[in-house]
């Protein structure tokens, strides 16, 4: 089945799907996006993702390209036309096309693009069983990381450094030595005392939908956690480390920079929470 992309009202062969050279997303990274997981035909946390998409648009005063209900119908159609049963749907909204000039253009019409791709649960499972390495990098991003903007250059540079060092992800560290989040994931630790910790949400990190869903599951199960920033030293000394995102779900981390975490195997709490989240997605 060949891939199909949705671009401003049209379903096009993926290879021929294009936007205008003066789209503000292309010229100014003036746009927002979402990545939503689909697992065995079920969209995971669709409402949370769409709430966040609308919030990102509102924060940047980008007009909605269409109402929420028709957008959901386009999502369904993109999944259907791409035959995606397990995978990811990508939604991007930009401020639209206009002659290049920094201020918001009067009368520009927002652009909407959607693509979908298949992913493999087996591959994800294997990675989770093995665990992954992360590196730490300075967080050089702007101060509104809560907005899911397509302006991702620092994230791209961080991930590239991780890949070049043989790692899966880069955890970013702020000027105070506190971990903010991964380049495309949220960061979690179980500290030396056995306390589960992830950073509180504010302008410093993206409010991950996977993170929020897992926190809700923890509450339901009566598993305690702390919402606070943890330092790079705490990360290195942690008993367990893991990360969450729409594409990684819950992924155990076994190495930070050159240091093994615990005994170099995925930790028991990380494995348990991966299972809890998997069950949540599958049911
Ligand atoms: N990334 N932090 C950042 C900076 C992210 O880009 C993401 C998501 C997350 C996790 O959020 P969620 O659980 O809602 O996926 C945290 C997506 C997957 C991406 O850019 O591909």
């Amino acid at each position: 089945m060949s891939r199909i992309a949705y671009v401003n009202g049209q379903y096009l062969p993926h290879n021929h799907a294009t936007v205008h050279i003066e789209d503000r997303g292309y010229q100014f990274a003036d746009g927002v996006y979402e990545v939503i997981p689909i697992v065995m035909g079920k969209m995971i946390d669709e409402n949370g993702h769409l709430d966040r998409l609308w919030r990102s648009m509102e924060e940047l005063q980008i007009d909605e390209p269409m109402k929420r209900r028709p957008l959901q119908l386009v999502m369904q159609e993109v999944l259907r036309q791409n035959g995606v049963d397990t995978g990811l749907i990508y939604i991007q909204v930009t401020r639209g096309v206009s002659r290049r000039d920094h201020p918001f253009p009067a009368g520009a019409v927002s652009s909407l693009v959607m693509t979908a791709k298949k992913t493999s649960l087996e591959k994800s499972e294997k990675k989770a069983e093995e665990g992954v390495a992360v590196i730490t990098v300075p967080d050089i991003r702007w101060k509104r990381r809560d907005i899911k903007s397509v302006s991702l250059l620092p994230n791209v540079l961080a991930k590239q450094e991780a890949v070049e060092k043989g790692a899966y992800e880069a955890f970013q560290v702020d000027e105070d030595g506190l971990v903010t989040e991964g380049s495309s994931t949220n960061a979690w630790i179980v500290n030396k005392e056995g306390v589960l910790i992830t950073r509180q949400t504010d302008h410093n990190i993206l409010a991950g939908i996977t993170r929020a869903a897992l926190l809700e599951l923890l509450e339901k199960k009566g598993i305690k956690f702390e919402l606070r920033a943890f330092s790079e030293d705490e990360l290195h000394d942690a008993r367990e480390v893991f990360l969450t995102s729409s594409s990684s779900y819950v992924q155990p981390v076994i190495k930070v920079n050159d240091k093994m975490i615990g005994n170099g195997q995925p930790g028991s709490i990380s494995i348990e929470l991966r299972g809890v989240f998997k069950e949540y997605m599958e049911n």
Side-chain angles (χ1 to χ4, degrees), residues 33-37 45 48-49 52 88 90 117 141 145 147-149 152 155 159 169 172 180-187 204-213 243-249 277:
Y33 76 106
E34 278 298 325
V35 177
I36 309 176
D45 291 318
H49 282 280
R52 187 172 66 185
L88 296 167
Y90 176 79
K117 68 176 179 189
R141 296 175 299 163
R145 301 153 188 163
I147 300 171
K148 201 159 173 58
S149 144
L152 289 171
N155 310 56
K159 190 79 92 188
E169 176 61 303
Q172 301 166 99
T180 51
E181 61 185 329
S183 68
S184 63
T185 60
N186 287 115
N204 290 309
I205 65 166
L206 184 76
I209 303 298
T210 318
R211 172 192 173 283
L243 53 84
T244 56
S245 80
S246 294
S247 47
S248 299
Y249 317 133
F277 195 71

Side-chain angles (χ1 to χ4, degrees), residues 218-233:
L218 293 175
E219 258 167 15
K220 271 193 200 143
K221 292 194 176 290
I223 301 172
K224 290 206 172 65
F225 55 82
E226 278 180 20
L227 295 183
R228 66 166 174 87
F230 52 85
S231 67
E232 188 169 3
D233 288 342

Side-chain angles (χ1 to χ4, degrees), residues 137-142 145 154 172-175 180-181 204:
V137 297
D139 196 332
I140 59 169
R141 296 175 299 163
W142 73 328
R145 301 153 188 163
Q172 301 166 99
V173 180
D174 68 17
E175 291 95 342
T180 51
E181 61 185 329
N204 290 309

Side-chain angles (χ1 to χ4, degrees), residues 25 29-33 90 92-94 147-153:
D30 190 358
V32 298
Y33 76 106
Y90 176 79
Q92 178 174 315
V93 180
T94 71
I147 300 171
K148 201 159 173 58
S149 144
V150 295
S151 174
L152 289 171
L153 201 44

Side-chain angles (χ1 to χ4, degrees), residues 34-51:
E34 278 298 325
V35 177
I36 309 176
I38 294 92
V39 174
M40 296 184 294
K42 186 181 143 200
M43 213 177 292
I44 310 301
D45 291 318
E46 179 177 0
N47 281 326
H49 282 280
L50 292 181
D51 288 348

Side-chain angles (χ1 to χ4, degrees), residues 24-268:
R24 289 177 64 93
Y26 179 59
Q27 288 191 325
F28 293 112
D30 190 358
V32 298
Y33 76 106
E34 278 298 325
V35 177
I36 309 176
I38 294 92
V39 174
M40 296 184 294
K42 186 181 143 200
M43 213 177 292
I44 310 301
D45 291 318
E46 179 177 0
N47 281 326
H49 282 280
L50 292 181
D51 288 348
R52 187 172 66 185
L53 178 63
W54 255 264
R55 178 182 183 277
S56 295
M57 289 191 286
E58 277 158 20
E59 290 294 324
L60 298 180
Q61 297 168 56
I62 293 175
D63 292 340
E64 59 182 16
M66 60 174 67
K67 296 280 177 215
R68 185 156 160 152
R69 186 68 199 129
L71 188 120
Q72 286 173 296
L73 296 176
V74 175
M75 287 162 71
Q76 289 300 339
E77 187 57 17
V78 168
L79 292 178
R80 195 187 65 77
Q81 292 204 22
N82 286 280
V84 172
D85 183 55
T86 292
L88 296 167
I89 185 159
Y90 176 79
I91 308 172
Q92 178 174 315
V93 180
T94 71
R95 204 180 303 277
V97 176
S98 182
R99 199 172 74 164
R100 187 180 182 281
D101 203 1
H102 285 67
F104 298 170
V109 178
S110 317
S111 297
L112 172 62
V113 167
M114 262 188 234
T115 57
K117 68 176 179 189
K118 296 176 185 172
T119 57
S120 156
L121 281 181
E122 291 73 34
K123 275 192 197 154
S124 173
E125 217 34 46
K126 187 158 177 286
K127 217 175 231 351
E129 279 161 21
E130 288 168 355
V132 294
V134 303
I135 60 162
T136 55
V137 297
D139 196 332
I140 59 169
R141 296 175 299 163
W142 73 328
K143 296 199 168 91
R144 289 303 307 275
R145 301 153 188 163
D146 55 311
I147 300 171
K148 201 159 173 58
S149 144
V150 295
S151 174
L152 289 171
L153 201 44
N155 310 56
V156 166
L157 295 177
K159 190 79 92 188
Q160 180 60 20
E161 191 174 328
V163 169
E164 283 170 11
K165 291 183 171 158
Y168 178 73
E169 176 61 303
F171 281 178
Q172 301 166 99
V173 180
D174 68 17
E175 291 95 342
D176 301 322
L178 301 171
V179 174
T180 51
E181 61 185 329
S183 68
S184 63
T185 60
N186 287 115
W188 301 64
I189 58 168
V190 178
N191 75 3
K192 277 193 290 201
E193 287 73 40
V195 184
L196 180 58
I197 307 168
T198 194
R199 194 169 173 134
Q200 75 281 3
T201 49
D202 49 29
H203 287 180
N204 290 309
I205 65 166
L206 184 76
I209 303 298
T210 318
R211 172 192 173 283
L214 187 60
L215 287 174
E216 210 170 294
L217 291 165
L218 293 175
E219 258 167 15
K220 271 193 200 143
K221 292 194 176 290
I223 301 172
K224 290 206 172 65
F225 55 82
E226 278 180 20
L227 295 183
R228 66 166 174 87
F230 52 85
S231 67
E232 188 169 3
D233 288 342
E234 282 181 283
L235 172 68
H236 282 120
D237 292 342
R239 199 183 279 177
E240 293 188 31
V241 178
F242 64 92
L243 53 84
T244 56
S245 80
S246 294
S247 47
S248 299
Y249 317 133
V250 174
Q251 169 62 53
V253 172
I254 53 170
K255 195 176 165 204
V256 176
N257 296 324
D258 290 327
K259 189 172 177 298
M260 284 297 176
I261 298 299
N263 61 2
Q265 301 283 322
S268 58

